[in-house]
Amino acid sequence: MAQDKFSKVAIYPGTFDPITNGHVDIIKRGSRIFDEIIVLVAYNPDKAALFTVEERMEMIRESLSDIKSVRVDSHSGLLVDYLKLSGASIILRGMRALSDFEYEFQMALMNRRQTREIETVFLLSGFKWFYTSSKLIKEVVSLGGSVKALVPDNVHQKLLEKYNVKPRDNNRR
Ligand code: COA
């Protein structure tokens, strides 16, 4: 579907296995800048996912139900092809630390090499989410630790079910 020529649509791609509060923070802040954000569950060949694409999309939808200007979609091919299909030209990404920079820089340049019109816009991650990642969150839950407040409540529940563990509260926010 082609976008209105004046509306600013950003695609926020990621593996989202699962979505974390760090991602939600980027989406919420991005929604103050863009007219619409499409959260795209994309394919990263380097990652074997714990949750299916459908499960990840469902968790994202539930986590963002209060933000009206957000849509959730999935794509198994090249990101730039999805942008062409949707008529969008902006990729939104979050940057946590300097260590993210090189990878993000490479991806942004590679994407722009495929299609000149594409721009990647970065938002700096909130300091509360600086150290989190989906991998770390899964590891902590699988070993019985607490990640409450690092992920939306629905995601927390799904993680406990997936790993068949009981909730543990460390009283942290
Ligand atoms: N707060 C907390 N954590 C964050 C975060 C934030 N704001 N932003 C990212 N992260 C975490 C993620 O949870 C993820 O953790 P993990 O590595 O433990 O899974 C990590 O930082 C970065 O991953 P993510 O943002 O999910 O992106 P990704 O690196 O998996 O995504 C794609 C890469 C999917 C965008 C990329 O592979 C892609 O574009 N694929 C489509 C195919 C394609 O076009 N390839 C060519 C690309 S040039």
Side-chain angles (χ1 to χ4, degrees), residues 36-67:
E36 184 180 28
I37 295 182
I38 302 177
V39 182
L40 188 70
V41 176
Y43 172 63
N44 183 340
D46 294 333
K47 292 182 183 173
L50 172 68
F51 292 99
T52 66
V53 170
E54 288 69 29
E55 285 173 321
R56 283 178 267 161
M57 289 174 73
E58 186 57 29
M59 283 187 280
I60 297 170
R61 276 199 198 96
E62 287 169 6
S63 311
L64 303 173
S65 58
D66 57 330
I67 314 175

mmCIF file of all heavy atoms in Angstrom, residues 36-67:
data_model
loop_
_atom_site.group_PDB
_atom_site.id
_atom_site.type_symbol
_atom_site.label_atom_id
_atom_site.label_comp_id
_atom_site.label_asym_id
_atom_site.label_seq_id
_atom_site.Cartn_x
_atom_site.Cartn_y
_atom_site.Cartn_z
ATOM 1 N N GLU A 36 3.405 7.510 11.404
ATOM 2 C CA GLU A 36 3.104 6.091 11.607
ATOM 3 C C GLU A 36 4.416 5.320 11.743
ATOM 4 O O GLU A 36 5.396 5.624 11.054
ATOM 5 C CB GLU A 36 2.297 5.524 10.424
ATOM 6 C CG GLU A 36 1.884 4.088 10.659
ATOM 7 C CD GLU A 36 1.085 3.479 9.508
ATOM 8 O OE1 GLU A 36 1.268 3.911 8.347
ATOM 9 O OE2 GLU A 36 0.315 2.554 9.780
ATOM 10 N N ILE A 37 4.404 4.334 12.628
ATOM 11 C CA ILE A 37 5.566 3.446 12.730
ATOM 12 C C ILE A 37 5.092 2.029 12.443
ATOM 13 O O ILE A 37 4.097 1.564 13.025
ATOM 14 C CB ILE A 37 6.219 3.510 14.128
ATOM 15 C CG1 ILE A 37 6.787 4.916 14.351
ATOM 16 C CG2 ILE A 37 7.325 2.463 14.258
ATOM 17 C CD1 ILE A 37 7.497 5.097 15.665
ATOM 18 N N ILE A 38 5.782 1.379 11.533
ATOM 19 C CA ILE A 38 5.494 -0.034 11.293
ATOM 20 C C ILE A 38 6.599 -0.832 11.979
ATOM 21 O O ILE A 38 7.776 -0.732 11.620
ATOM 22 C CB ILE A 38 5.443 -0.363 9.786
ATOM 23 C CG1 ILE A 38 4.375 0.496 9.093
ATOM 24 C CG2 ILE A 38 5.175 -1.858 9.575
ATOM 25 C CD1 ILE A 38 4.278 0.299 7.579
ATOM 26 N N VAL A 39 6.204 -1.575 12.999
ATOM 27 C CA VAL A 39 7.173 -2.418 13.704
ATOM 28 C C VAL A 39 7.261 -3.713 12.904
ATOM 29 O O VAL A 39 6.269 -4.441 12.742
ATOM 30 C CB VAL A 39 6.715 -2.696 15.157
ATOM 31 C CG1 VAL A 39 7.758 -3.533 15.883
ATOM 32 C CG2 VAL A 39 6.475 -1.381 15.895
ATOM 33 N N LEU A 40 8.449 -3.960 12.384
ATOM 34 C CA LEU A 40 8.600 -5.065 11.437
ATOM 35 C C LEU A 40 9.424 -6.195 12.031
ATOM 36 O O LEU A 40 10.615 -6.028 12.322
ATOM 37 C CB LEU A 40 9.294 -4.549 10.163
ATOM 38 C CG LEU A 40 9.345 -5.544 9.014
ATOM 39 C CD1 LEU A 40 7.952 -5.760 8.429
ATOM 40 C CD2 LEU A 40 10.309 -5.073 7.937
ATOM 41 N N VAL A 41 8.778 -7.341 12.212
ATOM 42 C CA VAL A 41 9.517 -8.524 12.646
ATOM 43 C C VAL A 41 10.246 -9.038 11.404
ATOM 44 O O VAL A 41 9.640 -9.540 10.460
ATOM 45 C CB VAL A 41 8.563 -9.601 13.212
ATOM 46 C CG1 VAL A 41 9.342 -10.860 13.577
ATOM 47 C CG2 VAL A 41 7.824 -9.055 14.431
ATOM 48 N N ALA A 42 11.564 -8.817 11.419
ATOM 49 C CA ALA A 42 12.355 -9.115 10.220
ATOM 50 C C ALA A 42 13.237 -10.322 10.472
ATOM 51 O O ALA A 42 13.376 -10.796 11.598
ATOM 52 C CB ALA A 42 13.199 -7.891 9.863
ATOM 53 N N TYR A 43 13.823 -10.782 9.392
ATOM 54 C CA TYR A 43 14.618 -12.008 9.458
ATOM 55 C C TYR A 43 16.088 -11.663 9.620
ATOM 56 O O TYR A 43 16.678 -10.957 8.803
ATOM 57 C CB TYR A 43 14.383 -12.800 8.179
ATOM 58 C CG TYR A 43 15.276 -14.001 8.030
ATOM 59 C CD1 TYR A 43 15.210 -15.057 8.941
ATOM 60 C CD2 TYR A 43 16.185 -14.096 6.973
ATOM 61 C CE1 TYR A 43 16.033 -16.168 8.805
ATOM 62 C CE2 TYR A 43 17.001 -15.201 6.829
ATOM 63 C CZ TYR A 43 16.923 -16.219 7.754
ATOM 64 O OH TYR A 43 17.746 -17.310 7.621
ATOM 65 N N ASN A 44 16.670 -12.160 10.704
ATOM 66 C CA ASN A 44 18.107 -12.012 10.911
ATOM 67 C C ASN A 44 18.715 -13.408 10.836
ATOM 68 O O ASN A 44 18.513 -14.232 11.724
ATOM 69 C CB ASN A 44 18.366 -11.372 12.284
ATOM 70 C CG ASN A 44 19.840 -11.120 12.522
ATOM 71 O OD1 ASN A 44 20.691 -11.730 11.874
ATOM 72 N ND2 ASN A 44 20.145 -10.230 13.431
ATOM 73 N N PRO A 45 19.480 -13.697 9.760
ATOM 74 C CA PRO A 45 20.000 -15.062 9.556
ATOM 75 C C PRO A 45 20.928 -15.528 10.677
ATOM 76 O O PRO A 45 21.166 -16.727 10.824
ATOM 77 C CB PRO A 45 20.751 -14.970 8.219
ATOM 78 C CG PRO A 45 20.941 -13.521 7.943
ATOM 79 C CD PRO A 45 19.881 -12.783 8.687
ATOM 80 N N ASP A 46 21.437 -14.586 11.487
ATOM 81 C CA ASP A 46 22.369 -14.964 12.559
ATOM 82 C C ASP A 46 21.654 -15.416 13.832
ATOM 83 O O ASP A 46 22.295 -15.820 14.787
ATOM 84 C CB ASP A 46 23.265 -13.766 12.929
ATOM 85 C CG ASP A 46 24.184 -13.407 11.779
ATOM 86 O OD1 ASP A 46 24.501 -14.306 10.979
ATOM 87 O OD2 ASP A 46 24.543 -12.217 11.682
ATOM 88 N N LYS A 47 20.322 -15.303 13.856
ATOM 89 C CA LYS A 47 19.623 -15.598 15.111
ATOM 90 C C LYS A 47 18.606 -16.720 14.968
ATOM 91 O O LYS A 47 17.801 -16.700 14.038
ATOM 92 C CB LYS A 47 18.906 -14.339 15.616
ATOM 93 C CG LYS A 47 19.868 -13.262 16.061
ATOM 94 C CD LYS A 47 19.137 -12.051 16.592
ATOM 95 C CE LYS A 47 20.142 -10.972 16.968
ATOM 96 N NZ LYS A 47 19.473 -9.706 17.329
ATOM 97 N N ALA A 48 18.647 -17.666 15.901
ATOM 98 C CA ALA A 48 17.611 -18.700 15.974
ATOM 99 C C ALA A 48 16.619 -18.232 17.032
ATOM 100 O O ALA A 48 16.990 -18.004 18.178
ATOM 101 C CB ALA A 48 18.225 -20.027 16.385
ATOM 102 N N ALA A 49 15.371 -18.052 16.618
ATOM 103 C CA ALA A 49 14.402 -17.428 17.524
ATOM 104 C C ALA A 49 13.773 -18.423 18.493
ATOM 105 O O ALA A 49 13.558 -19.591 18.165
ATOM 106 C CB ALA A 49 13.325 -16.739 16.705
ATOM 107 N N LEU A 50 13.473 -17.927 19.679
ATOM 108 C CA LEU A 50 12.744 -18.727 20.676
ATOM 109 C C LEU A 50 11.250 -18.707 20.334
ATOM 110 O O LEU A 50 10.577 -19.727 20.392
ATOM 111 C CB LEU A 50 12.964 -18.112 22.068
ATOM 112 C CG LEU A 50 12.148 -18.689 23.212
ATOM 113 C CD1 LEU A 50 12.583 -20.119 23.525
ATOM 114 C CD2 LEU A 50 12.287 -17.819 24.470
ATOM 115 N N PHE A 51 10.737 -17.532 19.985
ATOM 116 C CA PHE A 51 9.308 -17.381 19.686
ATOM 117 C C PHE A 51 9.080 -17.391 18.176
ATOM 118 O O PHE A 51 9.931 -16.908 17.411
ATOM 119 C CB PHE A 51 8.788 -16.047 20.257
ATOM 120 C CG PHE A 51 8.769 -15.985 21.759
ATOM 121 C CD1 PHE A 51 9.787 -15.342 22.458
ATOM 122 C CD2 PHE A 51 7.740 -16.576 22.487
ATOM 123 C CE1 PHE A 51 9.779 -15.284 23.843
ATOM 124 C CE2 PHE A 51 7.718 -16.519 23.876
ATOM 125 C CZ PHE A 51 8.741 -15.871 24.558
ATOM 126 N N THR A 52 7.944 -17.908 17.754
ATOM 127 C CA THR A 52 7.607 -17.879 16.329
ATOM 128 C C THR A 52 7.331 -16.426 15.918
ATOM 129 O O THR A 52 7.083 -15.568 16.772
ATOM 130 C CB THR A 52 6.337 -18.708 16.023
ATOM 131 O OG1 THR A 52 5.229 -18.063 16.672
ATOM 132 C CG2 THR A 52 6.462 -20.147 16.507
ATOM 133 N N VAL A 53 7.338 -16.210 14.613
ATOM 134 C CA VAL A 53 7.051 -14.861 14.110
ATOM 135 C C VAL A 53 5.674 -14.415 14.605
ATOM 136 O O VAL A 53 5.495 -13.286 15.063
ATOM 137 C CB VAL A 53 7.111 -14.842 12.561
ATOM 138 C CG1 VAL A 53 6.588 -13.524 12.017
ATOM 139 C CG2 VAL A 53 8.538 -15.087 12.090
ATOM 140 N N GLU A 54 4.690 -15.324 14.557
ATOM 141 C CA GLU A 54 3.319 -14.972 14.992
ATOM 142 C C GLU A 54 3.296 -14.615 16.471
ATOM 143 O O GLU A 54 2.634 -13.660 16.883
ATOM 144 C CB GLU A 54 2.345 -16.131 14.722
ATOM 145 C CG GLU A 54 1.999 -16.346 13.262
ATOM 146 C CD GLU A 54 3.169 -16.868 12.426
ATOM 147 O OE1 GLU A 54 4.041 -17.576 13.004
ATOM 148 O OE2 GLU A 54 3.228 -16.552 11.225
ATOM 149 N N GLU A 55 4.014 -15.401 17.279
ATOM 150 C CA GLU A 55 4.042 -15.115 18.725
ATOM 151 C C GLU A 55 4.672 -13.741 18.980
ATOM 152 O O GLU A 55 4.204 -12.964 19.813
ATOM 153 C CB GLU A 55 4.862 -16.185 19.473
ATOM 154 C CG GLU A 55 4.151 -17.509 19.621
ATOM 155 C CD GLU A 55 5.049 -18.598 20.224
ATOM 156 O OE1 GLU A 55 6.258 -18.657 19.890
ATOM 157 O OE2 GLU A 55 4.540 -19.412 21.003
ATOM 158 N N ARG A 56 5.760 -13.458 18.236
ATOM 159 C CA ARG A 56 6.437 -12.168 18.421
ATOM 160 C C ARG A 56 5.524 -11.019 18.010
ATOM 161 O O ARG A 56 5.441 -9.999 18.703
ATOM 162 C CB ARG A 56 7.743 -12.143 17.605
ATOM 163 C CG ARG A 56 8.860 -12.934 18.279
ATOM 164 C CD ARG A 56 10.099 -12.929 17.452
ATOM 165 N NE ARG A 56 10.194 -14.071 16.571
ATOM 166 C CZ ARG A 56 10.980 -14.144 15.507
ATOM 167 N NH1 ARG A 56 11.731 -13.120 15.171
ATOM 168 N NH2 ARG A 56 11.025 -15.238 14.773
ATOM 169 N N MET A 57 4.814 -11.188 16.892
ATOM 170 C CA MET A 57 3.909 -10.118 16.439
ATOM 171 C C MET A 57 2.790 -9.883 17.453
ATOM 172 O O MET A 57 2.432 -8.755 17.753
ATOM 173 C CB MET A 57 3.325 -10.478 15.067
ATOM 174 C CG MET A 57 4.347 -10.401 13.952
ATOM 175 S SD MET A 57 3.698 -10.982 12.391
ATOM 176 C CE MET A 57 2.622 -9.661 11.918
ATOM 177 N N GLU A 58 2.276 -10.977 17.985
ATOM 178 C CA GLU A 58 1.192 -10.877 18.962
ATOM 179 C C GLU A 58 1.661 -10.137 20.227
ATOM 180 O O GLU A 58 0.967 -9.249 20.746
ATOM 181 C CB GLU A 58 0.719 -12.307 19.303
ATOM 182 C CG GLU A 58 -0.502 -12.409 20.185
ATOM 183 C CD GLU A 58 -1.714 -11.677 19.615
ATOM 184 O OE1 GLU A 58 -1.810 -11.573 18.383
ATOM 185 O OE2 GLU A 58 -2.538 -11.200 20.427
ATOM 186 N N MET A 59 2.859 -10.495 20.683
ATOM 187 C CA MET A 59 3.388 -9.830 21.892
ATOM 188 C C MET A 59 3.602 -8.337 21.638
ATOM 189 O O MET A 59 3.359 -7.509 22.512
ATOM 190 C CB MET A 59 4.719 -10.480 22.310
ATOM 191 C CG MET A 59 4.544 -11.802 23.016
ATOM 192 S SD MET A 59 6.105 -12.442 23.672
ATOM 193 C CE MET A 59 6.842 -13.145 22.218
ATOM 194 N N ILE A 60 4.074 -8.003 20.421
ATOM 195 C CA ILE A 60 4.304 -6.586 20.090
ATOM 196 C C ILE A 60 2.962 -5.853 20.081
ATOM 197 O O ILE A 60 2.813 -4.776 20.662
ATOM 198 C CB ILE A 60 5.022 -6.442 18.723
ATOM 199 C CG1 ILE A 60 6.411 -7.087 18.765
ATOM 200 C CG2 ILE A 60 5.142 -4.973 18.330
ATOM 201 C CD1 ILE A 60 7.102 -7.213 17.423
ATOM 202 N N ARG A 61 1.965 -6.463 19.408
ATOM 203 C CA ARG A 61 0.631 -5.814 19.335
ATOM 204 C C ARG A 61 0.089 -5.542 20.726
ATOM 205 O O ARG A 61 -0.384 -4.452 21.020
ATOM 206 C CB ARG A 61 -0.349 -6.725 18.596
ATOM 207 C CG ARG A 61 -0.255 -6.572 17.112
ATOM 208 C CD ARG A 61 -1.469 -7.074 16.376
ATOM 209 N NE ARG A 61 -1.081 -7.257 14.994
ATOM 210 C CZ ARG A 61 -0.694 -8.405 14.446
ATOM 211 N NH1 ARG A 61 -0.704 -9.517 15.164
ATOM 212 N NH2 ARG A 61 -0.319 -8.463 13.192
ATOM 213 N N GLU A 62 0.170 -6.569 21.601
ATOM 214 C CA GLU A 62 -0.354 -6.400 22.964
ATOM 215 C C GLU A 62 0.414 -5.306 23.713
ATOM 216 O O GLU A 62 -0.172 -4.504 24.432
ATOM 217 C CB GLU A 62 -0.229 -7.717 23.740
ATOM 218 C CG GLU A 62 -1.233 -8.770 23.305
ATOM 219 C CD GLU A 62 -0.914 -10.145 23.882
ATOM 220 O OE1 GLU A 62 0.017 -10.252 24.715
ATOM 221 O OE2 GLU A 62 -1.574 -11.113 23.478
ATOM 222 N N SER A 63 1.720 -5.277 23.526
ATOM 223 C CA SER A 63 2.549 -4.306 24.259
ATOM 224 C C SER A 63 2.304 -2.873 23.816
ATOM 225 O O SER A 63 2.582 -1.940 24.562
ATOM 226 C CB SER A 63 4.041 -4.587 24.059
ATOM 227 O OG SER A 63 4.327 -5.921 24.276
ATOM 228 N N LEU A 64 1.833 -2.702 22.577
ATOM 229 C CA LEU A 64 1.704 -1.351 22.018
ATOM 230 C C LEU A 64 0.255 -0.960 21.782
ATOM 231 O O LEU A 64 -0.017 -0.025 21.025
ATOM 232 C CB LEU A 64 2.470 -1.272 20.679
ATOM 233 C CG LEU A 64 3.962 -1.622 20.734
ATOM 234 C CD1 LEU A 64 4.547 -1.680 19.341
ATOM 235 C CD2 LEU A 64 4.710 -0.594 21.584
ATOM 236 N N SER A 65 -0.667 -1.676 22.431
ATOM 237 C CA SER A 65 -2.085 -1.469 22.120
ATOM 238 C C SER A 65 -2.543 -0.034 22.408
ATOM 239 O O SER A 65 -3.533 0.428 21.854
ATOM 240 C CB SER A 65 -2.953 -2.464 22.892
ATOM 241 O OG SER A 65 -2.704 -2.307 24.254
ATOM 242 N N ASP A 66 -1.813 0.680 23.273
ATOM 243 C CA ASP A 66 -2.221 2.058 23.594
ATOM 244 C C ASP A 66 -1.656 3.094 22.619
ATOM 245 O O ASP A 66 -1.952 4.275 22.735
ATOM 246 C CB ASP A 66 -1.814 2.414 25.027
ATOM 247 C CG ASP A 66 -0.324 2.258 25.266
ATOM 248 O OD1 ASP A 66 0.296 1.393 24.616
ATOM 249 O OD2 ASP A 66 0.230 3.010 26.091
ATOM 250 N N ILE A 67 -0.854 2.665 21.666
ATOM 251 C CA ILE A 67 -0.320 3.638 20.698
ATOM 252 C C ILE A 67 -1.031 3.427 19.362
ATOM 253 O O ILE A 67 -0.886 2.385 18.726
ATOM 254 C CB ILE A 67 1.201 3.475 20.486
ATOM 255 C CG1 ILE A 67 1.912 3.330 21.823
ATOM 256 C CG2 ILE A 67 1.776 4.679 19.737
ATOM 257 C CD1 ILE A 67 3.392 3.050 21.679
#
